[in-house]
């Protein structure tokens, strides 16, 4: 068994209204000094050792990420 | 300016129906060997150097995480 993390974030050129809402809320709550927030998704997968990197890329690309507006990074953590 | 990542994941004892839906979809799509998926959130923050670790913990705990059902990890990435 291996643990894999897939981080999915909105592309840099895509507006992120959730992140902007958090920036606004931080200001109203009195937290100064936070210039920008982007919100994405994190997936933690438990996979058999038979699952290779190419398959993980396909899983991330076809199921976990909307490639029109998001990018992903696959990392094996153990 | 510093970059900070806050990872927010459902606690181990909390059911994660989104993750389970992904496990089911992977099986139907023909991807074998994925035993478990947990879905959480990833926040990328740009903060002034004046923002200390204690403040980042408070931001994560009070605004980004539902402490009843989620845990968070704060990491400075640069």
């Amino acid at each position: 068994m291996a643990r894999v993390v897939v981080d999915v974030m909105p592309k840099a050129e895509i507006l992120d209204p959730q992140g902007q809402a958090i920036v606004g809320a931080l200001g109203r709550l009195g937290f100064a000094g936070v210039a920008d927030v982007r919100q994405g998704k994190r997936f933690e997968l438990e996979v058999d050792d038979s699952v290779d990197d190419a398959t993980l890329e396909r899983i991330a690309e076809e199921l976990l990420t909307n490639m029109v507006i998001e990018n992903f990074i696959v990392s094996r953590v153990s």
Side-chain angles (χ1 to χ4, degrees), chain A:
Chain A
M1 276 291 172
R3 288 192 65 211
V4 176
V5 170
V6 180
D7 289 317
V8 176
M9 296 300 296
K11 290 184 179 181
E13 66 272 24
I14 299 288
L15 281 177
D16 176 11
Q18 285 181 299
Q20 288 310 302
I22 293 167
V23 172
L26 286 168
R28 289 193 298 279
L29 291 171
F31 291 106
V34 179
D36 191 36
V37 177
R38 311 270 298 167
Q39 177 170 355
K41 292 174 285 185
R42 175 186 172 92
F43 300 92
E44 295 182 356
L45 285 67
E46 296 264 350
V47 303
D48 291 341
D49 296 330
S50 63
V51 179
D52 60 12
D53 289 350
T55 302
L56 291 172
E57 294 274 322
R58 283 189 55 212
I59 288 172
E61 189 168 329
E62 295 177 22
L63 196 64
L64 305 180
T65 307
N66 178 348
M67 294 297 294
V68 178
I69 58 170
E70 296 169 327
N71 289 323
F72 67 87
I73 297 175
V74 177
S75 332
R76 287 181 181 266
V77 292
S78 64

